[in-house]
Amino acid sequence: MTTRVAAIDCGTNSIRLLVADLPDPSAGAQAPLVDLTRRMEIVRLGQGVDRTGRLAPEAIERTRVALADYAAEIEKLGAERVRMCATSASRDAANAGDFRAMVEQTLGVAPEVVTGDEEARLSFTGAVRGLPADAEPPYLVVDIGGGSTEFVVGTREGGVQAAISMDIGCVRMTERHLHGDPPTLDEIAAAQADIAVAVDRALEAVPGRQAATLVGLAGSVTTVVAIAQGLTEYDPERIHHARVSYDRVADVTADLLAKSREQRLAVPVMHPGRADVIGAGALVLRVIMERAGMPSVVASEHDILDGIAWSLAPQDRRR
């Protein structure tokens, strides 16, 4: 028997919904979940958090509007179990209680403000199921979010071996360093130096330089990969498990950082809500590949959202 579940991932930049049917245990350990709907809205919950330490009231309201729409979709599709995980922005905020109260009133369940370690485990679970045969373990999975980036090393069979979360997300780095339109060379250099320090610390902690395959998650990675492939529209099927070289990532990153916001908006695959932060997200990916010595990255459209969905399965279905 399948189990219908709803997973919500509320990050610093976006809020996403997945309603899916989990397979019957008899289908085998690698049987996929079956999507009913995947949705994403850019709500910028983490607007200004790095500077003020608080969630802005207008950011909470944007999130409430999107969440109310998701709640109606969940009810319509008849999900049996619902889990919402809130990540970096609501971990950092002094007024996280306001956010929690809004979620409970709107969705009917409390948000789980997951730790960096739990966020990493969920991302890894979602990412490694179904990886192609040429993706050699151990894997270094990096989830580049708005406020933080998770680094996880492990294998499909053994699970997570080590994980760490670093405060180098695309929104945080943009707000901290990339103020020009386009950013100046000095701003880019400052961001790169900040990112490199955090990446080196993360790669020593996990340890990421011993991994054989880099797997990249979230919108910064998939957007860079879509641009590198020359796609004229965003196509998740062509992006999922595509492999892109370091040289192509470096070229795309340099091009994005040289463009104004208006020019980035004109890129065919660009989501309007990502245009102002994609330069920083691409820079985080490029620095990770450089410091880890990774010749390529494998993009995954499956990430923490899928991990949240799998976490709602009975224990014997999760591995």
Side-chain angles (χ1 to χ4, degrees):
M1 295 177 61
T2 60
T3 303
R4 182 159 295 182
V5 300
I8 297 173
D9 169 39
C10 185
T12 304
N13 196 42
S14 65
I15 185 168
R16 300 182 300 149
L17 168 70
L18 168 62
V19 180
D21 288 335
L22 301 180
D24 185 275
S26 64
Q30 290 303 312
L33 52 75
V34 177
D35 291 14
L36 298 175
T37 188
R38 282 183 191 258
R39 296 179 56 183
M40 187 270 287
E41 299 289 338
I42 301 288
V43 295
R44 196 61 56 82
L45 178 63
Q47 170 192 333
V49 163
D50 192 51
R51 177 176 53 84
T52 67
R54 298 180 65 84
L55 297 171
E58 61 270 29
I60 294 176
E61 174 60 15
R62 288 193 299 267
T63 307
R64 185 199 64 77
V65 171
L67 193 59
D69 196 26
Y70 287 178
E73 184 85 349
I74 290 167
E75 183 176 4
K76 182 179 77 172
L77 292 174
E80 303 167 42
R81 302 179 183 184
V82 180
R83 185 182 185 190
M84 176 175 171
C85 291
T87 55
S88 179
S90 50
R91 277 203 305 265
D92 299 342
N95 60 336
D98 295 342
F99 171 76
R100 181 183 180 89
M102 179 278 289
V103 171
E104 290 194 68
Q105 183 175 7
T106 306
L107 188 63
V109 300
E112 297 178 46
V113 183
V114 297
T115 65
D117 284 347
E118 172 71 355
E119 189 175 347
R121 187 187 66 78
L122 291 168
S123 294
F124 187 85
T125 300
V128 302
R129 280 180 175 261
L131 277 175
D134 66 349
E136 182 184 350
Y139 311 114
L140 169 60
V141 175
V142 294
D143 187 345
I144 303 173
S148 64
T149 294
E150 280 61 58
F151 296 74
V152 198
V153 169
T155 63
R156 186 182 290 113
E157 294 76 16
V160 173
Q161 296 171 358
I164 192 169
S165 178
M166 306 299 293
D167 288 340
I168 51 169
C170 60
V171 174
R172 195 184 298 270
M173 291 296 98
T174 300
E175 291 185 351
R176 188 178 293 175
H177 297 293
L178 304 181
H179 306 300
D181 185 26
T184 66
L185 293 178
D186 285 346
E187 289 172 347
I188 295 168
Q192 181 173 315
D194 196 359
I195 294 165
V197 169
V199 169
D200 283 347
R201 183 175 151 209
L203 293 175
E204 289 297 324
V206 280
R209 293 186 177 92
Q210 297 177 15
T213 300
L214 175 66
V215 182
L217 314 182
S220 290
V221 174
T222 57
T223 300
V224 168
V225 168
I227 295 169
Q229 290 181 301
L231 300 185
T232 56
E233 61 181 8
Y234 193 93
D235 185 345
E237 291 188 5
R238 290 186 62 183
I239 295 166
H240 189 49
H241 292 164
R243 186 184 289 269
V244 175
S245 71
Y246 168 80
D247 288 342
R248 283 297 293 137
V249 169
D251 288 345
V252 170
T253 301
D255 186 58
L256 288 170
L257 289 168
K259 281 180 161 63
S260 66
R261 182 177 185 276
E262 184 177 357
Q263 290 171 323
R264 292 191 296 272
L265 279 169
V267 175
V269 299
M270 189 68 62
H271 189 288
R274 203 174 298 284
D276 56 340
V277 298
I278 185 60
L283 187 59
V284 171
L285 175 61
R286 198 212 78 196
V287 172
I288 290 171
M289 296 180 74
E290 188 176 275
R291 310 299 285 193
M294 290 291 182
S296 64
V297 59
V298 177
S300 178
E301 286 280 350
H302 294 175
D303 52 25
I304 188 172
L305 196 59
D306 301 74
I308 296 167
W310 283 111
S311 76
L312 292 168
Q315 187 65 38
D316 61 353
R317 296 193 196 182
R318 296 186 188 177
R319 295 195 53 161

